[in-house]
Structures are given as structure tokens and as C-alpha cells.
Amino acid sequence: MAQVAVVTFDGFNELDSFIASALINRCRQDGLEAFITTPTPQVTSMNGVRVTGQRPIGFVTEADVVLIGSGVRTRDVVADAGLPARLPLDPARQLIGSQCSGALVLAHLGLLGTMPACTDSATRPFVEARGITVLDTPFHAEGNIATAGGCLASQYLATWVITRTLGEDAARAVLDYVAPVGEHRQTTARALHAVKALGATRI
């Protein structure tokens, strides 16, 4: 069973963490499972939704995939001098992705290098201040690193994870199931195009 840590900090955006987690967890029977991973036993969303983490932050060292969620307190997160020690991520053996302001975390950890990134408009100036080029696109990936910008781009991040771990057919099945009625073909094609255009290949 491949395991995915959806890292979720206090002040998190529900769409960012829950969409990715829910889509990936439709692949449990195929051997892929996501867990809301939190630095404290409980975290509260930007809208006051209190959630109990499924895994502690230390789970990131075991996970095959780590997705860094977004939230209104991400700048506080990266201000923590102990963050690198709490998130010892390894792109050589893990798929690593970020959603919206999660790109700021990847930049802080030095994982983006020279690659451009996607993020939300509010976070953009803070990512650019770290010398990272921000793209006007919802998704970008290079190798084992991916970034997504805009809450609903979390479906692209999940599609990337499923495609890279289980293959395109598995991603297509999930997208077809969750697509709005009457928009199955368009929804599936749009998400797969966003990922395939960047050369996602199964690991």
C-alpha cells in the first residue's frame, strides 16, 4: 500500500486538504491511501472546522507521497526555525507536492531549486521574494516535485499523484466518478491534460 501524507496545518483551507485526500482515497483498493497529517493532534481550518489528524507530522518520513496543504497561517509555519527538522522530505524517494501557499513551504525547505512554481495570488509575492518564478498556470511538475495554484487545482495535484503511482487508467476512473453529471469527458480530459502535458510517468 502506497501512503500519502496530506500535511495540514492550523488555519488550513478545507478544499486544499480534503479534495486531494478524498480523490486519492478512492484508490484504496488499488493500493494507494491518503492520510490527513497534522503537527498537533487537532487543527482548525480557516473557517473554524476542527479536525483530528489521522497521522502525526512524523509520518512524512514513512510516506511515499507528501502533499503540503495551504492555509492562512503558512507564513507563520515557515517562520518556525524547526520546520526543516519536522519535514525531512526526500525528492529522491518521495513524490512531493504543494497546494497554493504550500509552495512557500517547499521554497523554504529548498526543494524547488530553480524550478518555477504555482501558487495562489495572495501567496505569490512571498514566493517570488524567495527568488522563485511563479507561473500563471494551475499546475506544474518537474520530476518528483509538483505545485498547484488555486483551490480547485487540488484535483490536478491528486491526478498527478494517482497517475504517477497507479497509472492513467486509475486516475481516469477516479475523475470520471467525481465529475459533475454531464461533464465527465471534459473534467477528465482537463485534469489529465494538465498532468500529461508535463510528462507525468508512472513510477
Side-chain angles (χ1 to χ4, degrees), residues 8-26:
T8 303
F9 297 105
D10 212 38
F12 72 95
N13 184 316
E14 300 96 330
L15 293 173
D16 293 348
S17 289
F18 293 159
I19 290 176
S21 178
L23 292 180
I24 291 167
N25 277 329
R26 290 195 175 276

Side-chain angles (χ1 to χ4, degrees), residues 15-154:
L15 293 173
D16 293 348
S17 289
F18 293 159
I19 290 176
S21 178
L23 292 180
I24 291 167
N25 277 329
R26 290 195 175 276
C27 297
R28 280 197 189 101
Q29 291 185 339
D30 296 319
L32 182 64
E33 188 168 16
F35 301 91
I36 299 296
T37 301
T38 56
T40 54
Q42 290 188 322
V43 292
T44 302
S45 78
M46 59 190 293
N47 294 307
V49 179
R50 196 171 181 88
V51 172
T52 298
Q54 296 172 292
R55 294 290 186 275
I57 197 70
F59 174 65
V60 298
T61 61
E62 305 172 32
D64 305 286
V65 182
V66 179
L67 302 181
I68 308 295
S70 182
V72 295
R73 298 180 184 171
T74 305
R75 279 183 284 162
D76 294 334
V77 170
V78 298
D80 178 2
L83 182 65
R86 301 176 79 188
L87 290 175
L89 308 184
D90 182 3
R93 69 171 185 84
Q94 294 173 308
L95 295 180
I96 300 170
S98 68
Q99 177 65 43
C100 290
S101 65
L104 192 58
V105 176
L106 296 192
H108 180 73
L109 295 175
L111 293 171
L112 295 179
T114 60
M115 72 175 281
C118 301
T119 190
D120 61 277
S121 58
T123 306
R124 180 172 187 152
F126 301 100
V127 174
E128 290 177 329
R130 292 176 177 265
I132 306 296
T133 298
V134 175
L135 302 173
D136 290 317
T137 55
F139 179 83
H140 181 73
E142 292 184 13
N144 286 350
I145 305 287
T147 59
C151 299
L152 295 182
S154 51

Side-chain angles (χ1 to χ4, degrees), residues 142-168:
E142 292 184 13
N144 286 350
I145 305 287
T147 59
C151 299
L152 295 182
S154 51
Q155 63 182 300
Y156 301 153
L157 198 56
T159 298
W160 176 73
V161 170
I162 297 168
T163 301
R164 288 291 308 270
T165 54
L166 299 177
E168 182 181 324

